[in-house]
Amino acid sequence: MLDCVFCNIIQKTIHGSIIFEDDQMVVIQDILPKAPVHLLVLPKKHIASLIDVTAADQALLGAMILKAKQFAEEHHIADSGYKLLFNVGKHGGQTVKHLHLHLLGGKQLAEIE
Ligand code: AMP
Ligand code: ZN
């Protein structure tokens, strides 16, 4: 997906602040952080949205959540708490159409409306 910003970061055709990579995912720093810790967990496979996830992606999603949990611990926000967030589609506020899990923490976060 050459027109996908996250695919381009994963393929390193554009710069992204990659802080972790394995065979199935990367973790990057959000370019416009909304909290002191704001990371994005991206599957390497291009999946446009949670809408497009199938049962075949179950292990991948589990691995993404566990990786976010690990980064929360490494950034010392596990005790104070944090949010894991998928924005899905237009009403969900999804702007980048490549599945990503937000890890937000390091301050008191607003309630979700
Ligand atoms: P969402 O609204 O859930 O689609 O969130 C997309 C997120 O991606 C936003 O928090 C953006 O700040 C972030 N973002 C967009 N472009 C980049 C980029 N090139 N590198 C890192 N984060 C990005
Ligand atoms: Zn993509």
Side-chain angles (χ1 to χ4, degrees):
M1 293 288 284
L2 290 176
D3 60 345
C4 171
V5 62
F6 287 170
C7 280
N8 276 291
I9 288 172
I10 290 161
Q11 290 162 19
K12 304 187 175 71
T13 50
I14 67 168
H15 175 76
S17 297
I18 295 176
I19 59 172
F20 173 82
E21 177 171 11
D22 68 11
D23 58 338
Q24 59 183 348
M25 71 182 96
V26 303
V27 180
I28 65 172
Q29 304 266 11
D30 196 290
I31 202 167
L32 290 171
K34 294 174 183 66
V37 177
H38 190 175
L39 306 181
L40 302 172
V41 183
L42 323 174
K44 283 191 167 175
K45 169 186 172 186
H46 180 88
I47 303 171
S49 163
L50 199 67
I51 293 164
D52 302 294
V53 163
T54 71
D57 301 310
Q58 186 169 332
L60 173 62
L61 285 178
M64 288 170 63
I65 292 168
L66 287 173
K67 187 54 64 181
K69 174 182 186 284
Q70 179 193 326
F71 270 94
E73 289 160 1
E74 289 181 5
H75 283 78
H76 308 292
I77 59 171
D79 289 342
S80 50
Y82 54 90
K83 282 187 199 293
L84 298 184
L85 181 68
F86 286 107
N87 291 326
V88 184
K90 182 171 177 288
H91 283 183
Q94 185 179 0
T95 57
V96 177
K97 293 180 178 54
H98 180 124
L99 184 69
H100 50 281
L101 176 60
H102 294 258
L103 167 61
L104 293 147
K107 70 171 188 180
Q108 183 63 53
L109 296 162
E111 284 182 35
I112 301 205
E113 64 183 13

